[in-house]
C-alpha cells in the first residue's frame, strides 16, 4: 500500500504539501493540487482520513439533499463534487423525496457535526437561525423565496421565463400555452410570473384555459399534449416549465397528428443533455448547471471557514441564463 512519501515523490512536491492538501486544500496552489490528485489516483493512495478527522474534531463531510430523479441536477451535483474534492470534503447524497419524514434526521447530522454543512435544493424556513454573527452552514441551491433563511445560489426564474416567452412573442405567437410544474416548488410560481409578465408586456390577455398543471415529468407532458391538441382555438406555442415535460409534449403532439414546430412551437427550461437530441431539437433556457453546483460549494466552504460578510451573505446569488434556440420553434405562418 502506498504511503504519503511515495505520493509526494511521484507528484514532485514535499510531504508537507501533500499533508496540506488533506488538511487545508485551499492553501495549496491549483498546479500542486492537480499534481497531488494525479499521484493519488496513480498510486491508489488511501489516506487515514479517520485519524485526521478525529485529531481535528472535524468530519470533512457535507450533505447534499436533492431530488435525484431530476436529470438537470446531475450536472449541478457534479459541480458540487469537483469543488468538494479540491477542498478535501466527502459528499453525502440523500433524496428527501424518498424519505420525507427523515428531514429532521438529516439536519440533526449538522447539529451533531456528523457533517459540516448542507446544500439543500429546497427552502426550509424553519431553519432560519443565527448565532450572533454566525450563519448556520446551510446553502439553498436552485430554490428561492423573498427573505430566504439561508444563503442561496440560483437563477432568476422570473426573468428567464419572461425572456423565453418574449422570444415566442417575437415570432408572432399570440396564443401561448403554459404547462406548469409542481405547485409546492417555488420555481413553478416564479416561471409562471415570468410567463404572465411577458404576455402583459405584449398586451396579450391572460387565459387560465391555456394553463395546464404538470408535475415536471415526461408523462405530464404527454398527457397535456392531448388537452392542447383538443383546444379550440389551439395554442400556436407552448411554454413548458422544464425540458422533460417539453420532450413529452412534443411526442404527444406528434401522436395527435400535429407537427412541431409548424403547427405548434414548443419550448422548455433547463437545457438537459437530451434537449438537443430530441426531434426536433428543443428551444430552451440554459441554466449553468455545473457553475450552480460549484458556486454553492464554494459558498458553503466560506460559511464553514467563517469567511463571509454577515451583512451581505443572505443576498441571493443569481447566475445568468441563456436562451438556446433550436428547431422546436418557428414564426407563425
Amino acid at each position: 500500500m502506498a504511503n504519503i512519501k511515495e505520493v509526494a515523490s511521484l507528484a514532485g512536491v514535499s510531504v508537507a504539501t501533500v499533508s496540506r492538501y488533506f488538511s487545508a486544500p485551499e492553501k495549496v496552489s491549483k498546479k500542486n493540487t492537480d499534481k497531488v490528485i494525479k499521484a493519488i489516483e496513480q498510486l491508489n493512495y488511501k489516506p487515514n482520513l479517520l485519524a485526521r478527522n478525529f485529531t481535528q474534531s472535524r468530519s470533512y463531510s457535507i450533505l447534499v439533499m436533492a431530488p435525484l430523479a431530476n436529470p438537470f441536477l446531475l450536472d449541478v451535483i457534479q459541480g458540487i463534487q469537483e469543488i468538494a474534492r479540491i477542498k478535501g470534503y466527502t459528499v453525502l447524497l440523500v433524496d428527501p423525496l424518498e424519505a420525507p419524514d427523515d428531514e429532521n434526521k438529516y439536519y440533526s447530522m449538522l447539529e451533531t457535526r456528523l457533517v459540516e454543512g448542507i446544500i439543500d435544493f429546497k427552502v426550509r424556513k424553519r431553519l432560519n437561525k443565527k448565532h450572533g454573527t454566525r450563519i448556520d452552514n446551510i446553502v439553498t441551491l436552485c430554490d428561492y423565496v423573498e427573505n430566504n433563511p439561508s444563503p442561496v445560489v440560483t437563477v432568476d426564474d422570473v426573468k428567464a421565463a419572461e425572456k423565453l416567452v418574449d422570444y415566442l412573442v417575437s415570432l408572432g405567437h399570440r396564443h401561448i400555452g403554459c404547462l406548469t410544474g409542481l405547485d409546492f416548488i417555488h420555481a413553478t410560481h416564479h416561471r409562471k410570473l415570468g410567463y404572465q409578465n411577458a404576455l402583459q408586456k405584449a398586451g396579450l390577455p391572460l387565459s387560465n384555459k391555456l394553463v395546464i398543471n404538470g408535475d415536471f415529468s415526461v408523462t405530464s407532458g404527454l398527457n397535456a399534449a392531448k388537452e392542447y391538441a383538443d383546444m379550440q382555438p389551439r395554442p400556436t406555442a407552448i411554454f413548458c416549465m422544464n425540458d422533460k415535460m417539453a420532450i413529452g409534449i412534443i411526442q404527444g403532439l406528434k401522436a395527435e397528428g400535429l407537427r412541431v414546430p409548424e403547427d405548434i412551437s414548443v419550448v422548455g427550461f433547463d437545457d438537459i443533455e437530451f434537449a438537443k437530441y430530441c426531434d426536433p431539437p428543443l428551444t430552451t433556457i440554459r441554466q449553468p448547471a455545473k457553475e450552480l453546483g460549484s458556486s454553492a460549494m464554494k459558498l458553503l466552504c466560506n460559511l464553514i471557514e467563517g469567511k463571509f460578510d454577515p451583512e451581505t451573505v443572505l443576498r441571493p446569488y443569481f447566475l445568468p441564463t441563456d436562451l438556446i434556440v433550436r428547431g422546436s420553434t418557428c414564426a407563425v405562418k
Side-chain angles (χ1 to χ4, degrees):
M1 182 179 293
N3 59 46
I4 194 169
K5 290 182 180 179
E6 291 172 308
V7 172
S9 176
L10 181 59
V13 300
S14 67
V15 171
T17 297
V18 179
S19 178
R20 193 176 300 116
Y21 166 76
F22 289 110
S23 62
E26 69 280 359
K27 296 180 181 179
V28 181
S29 69
K30 186 180 185 306
K31 181 179 179 181
N32 283 341
T33 293
D34 291 341
K35 288 180 179 179
V36 171
I37 291 173
K38 186 176 180 180
I40 289 171
E41 291 175 348
Q42 287 184 7
L43 294 171
N44 195 27
Y45 174 62
K46 299 290 192 283
N48 190 347
L49 297 180
L50 183 61
R52 176 200 67 171
N53 298 354
F54 181 78
T55 301
Q56 299 181 14
S57 298
R58 296 183 60 181
S59 68
Y60 285 94
S61 297
I62 65 111
L63 182 68
V64 175
M65 299 173 64
L68 302 178
N70 185 340
F72 164 72
L73 297 185
L74 298 180
D75 286 337
V76 181
I77 292 168
Q78 185 178 351
I80 293 172
Q81 290 176 320
E82 287 182 359
I83 299 303
R85 184 186 68 174
I86 292 171
K87 293 287 189 178
Y89 287 93
T90 298
V91 176
L92 308 177
L93 289 173
V94 297
D95 188 339
L97 296 181
E98 294 295 324
D101 294 337
D102 287 344
E103 179 183 309
N104 289 329
K105 180 181 73 175
Y106 296 141
Y107 273 88
S108 70
M109 294 174 68
L110 181 59
E111 296 167 6
T112 57
R113 307 198 68 175
L114 289 174
V115 297
E116 296 192 45
I118 293 176
I119 295 177
D120 197 342
F121 283 74
K122 181 181 178 182
V123 174
R124 303 178 198 273
K125 286 194 172 184
R126 65 179 182 78
L127 298 166
N128 187 9
K129 297 189 296 182
K130 292 185 181 180
H131 303 285
T133 59
R134 173 182 173 270
I135 305 293
D136 285 326
N137 296 340
I138 301 166
V139 172
T140 302
L141 182 54
C142 300
D143 194 16
Y144 171 69
V145 293
E146 289 291 332
N147 301 314
N148 220 70
S150 61
V152 59
V153 177
T154 188
V155 300
D156 191 327
D157 285 292
V158 177
K159 289 184 178 178
E162 187 173 342
K163 177 166 54 178
L164 193 54
V165 180
D166 282 344
Y167 172 69
L168 293 175
V169 171
S170 76
L171 294 176
H173 295 282
R174 298 293 180 268
H175 201 55
I176 303 171
C178 177
L179 179 57
T180 74
L182 292 163
D183 189 63
F184 65 85
I185 302 294
H186 295 109
T188 296
H189 300 280
H190 297 158
R191 294 174 191 179
K192 186 175 182 180
L193 179 58
Y195 162 77
Q196 293 170 334
N197 287 348
L199 295 185
Q200 289 177 331
K201 187 167 50 177
L204 300 176
L206 299 175
S207 172
N208 288 334
K209 292 181 180 179
L210 287 171
V211 179
I212 294 176
N213 296 326
D215 62 8
F216 290 126
S217 70
V218 172
T219 300
S220 67
L222 286 166
N223 294 337
K226 180 167 178 53
E227 290 189 57
Y228 280 121
D230 291 341
M231 283 185 182
Q232 294 298 327
R234 276 198 309 260
T236 60
I238 302 170
F239 162 48
C240 302
M241 289 194 182
N242 79 343
D243 290 344
K244 288 177 68 175
M245 292 192 298
I247 291 169
I249 217 166
I250 288 173
Q251 298 308 311
L253 291 173
K254 287 181 179 180
E256 294 295 319
L258 296 171
R259 299 168 300 163
V260 177
E262 292 85 357
D263 296 320
I264 300 181
S265 288
V266 175
V267 298
F269 201 110
D270 288 338
D271 196 29
I272 63 175
E273 182 70 16
F274 305 111
K276 58 188 174 186
Y277 298 117
C278 69
D279 182 24
L282 183 64
T283 294
T284 187
I285 285 289
R286 175 178 292 162
Q287 297 195 65
K290 285 185 67 174
E291 187 180 352
L292 282 164
S294 61
S295 297
M297 186 62 205
K298 289 174 184 176
L299 177 55
L300 182 59
C301 288
N302 287 338
L303 295 181
I304 292 170
E305 296 163 13
K307 299 176 181 177
F308 64 90
D309 180 354
E311 299 299 320
T312 62
V313 71
L314 289 178
R315 293 177 186 172
Y317 182 24
F318 290 126
L319 272 62
T321 59
D322 295 306
L323 172 62
I324 307 299
V325 178
R326 298 194 180 102
S328 66
T329 50
C330 70
V332 175
K333 303 296 188 203

